[in-house]
Amino acid sequence: MHTSRRSATLIAGALAAVAGVGTVIAQAAPASGVSAPSACRPANHLAKIAPDRAESGHLHFRVTLTAPQGYAECRLVGSPTDVAFAHHGTPLGITTGRYGDQNTIVTFGPGRPVHFDIRVPHQGHGAPADEASFTLGAPRGAIPGTSVAEGRFEVTAGTVIGPVRPGA
């Protein structure tokens, strides 16, 4: 019988602990009772690369990020970092720089797409690529994880990445 009381006490304690945690979670959640995951996390957005308008001496490729419904808006700033390019899964080894205003904060989320530019010097001999991986920046630092965008484009030495801007 002593074992039964001890088991009952442990179970009651565990239930009380779970109830207490549930109370804390409910108080921290928004009024809807459910907190949506951030659209800025790599698993929570989609990214596609498409050719953009070329200018004298440069090719431009637009990387557009969209977030499906159900994710929370978030803030991004500056050019993505740790950018790497690949073609059919083979890394290309191109190092990138950054250009443009690195301090403008933009809001990203469902119905609020953002984009950034891959600016490639047009030297007539760029390497074909079909994937870019990168780390997004937030006002308080880098967002954990690596985002991946797919689409046909080309890169070469001297490729630079523009800052994240609002719109598709």
Side-chain angles (χ1 to χ4, degrees), residues 61 85 92 94 96 118 120-121 125-129 153-157 159:
F61 299 93
F85 304 111
L92 297 178
I94 303 287
T96 63
I118 300 173
V120 182
H125 57 280
F153 63 110
E154 66 180 71
V155 292
T156 189
T159 297

Side-chain angles (χ1 to χ4, degrees), residues 45-150:
H45 59 257
L46 306 171
K48 297 198 180 238
I49 304 170
D52 206 355
R53 188 174 34 199
E55 63 181 27
S56 179
H58 294 98
L59 298 174
H60 292 267
F61 299 93
R62 181 177 285 216
V63 180
T64 302
L65 281 69
T66 57
Q69 292 298 320
Y71 293 99
E73 288 185 345
C74 52
R75 298 181 331 156
L76 297 170
V77 66
S79 298
T81 59
D82 303 324
V83 179
F85 304 111
H87 187 246
H88 298 302
T90 303
L92 297 178
I94 303 287
T95 302
T96 63
R98 299 161 55 150
Y99 78 90
D101 177 9
Q102 300 297 310
N103 298 314
T104 300
I105 297 171
V106 298
T107 300
F108 170 57
R112 295 184 84 161
V114 296
H115 72 275
F116 63 88
D117 181 45
I118 300 173
R119 185 172 75 187
V120 182
H122 185 53
Q123 303 167 346
H125 57 280
D130 58 12
E131 181 180 285
S133 60
F134 50 90
T135 301
L136 294 169
R140 294 186 180 172
I143 294 170
T146 302
S147 295
V148 176
E150 295 180 339

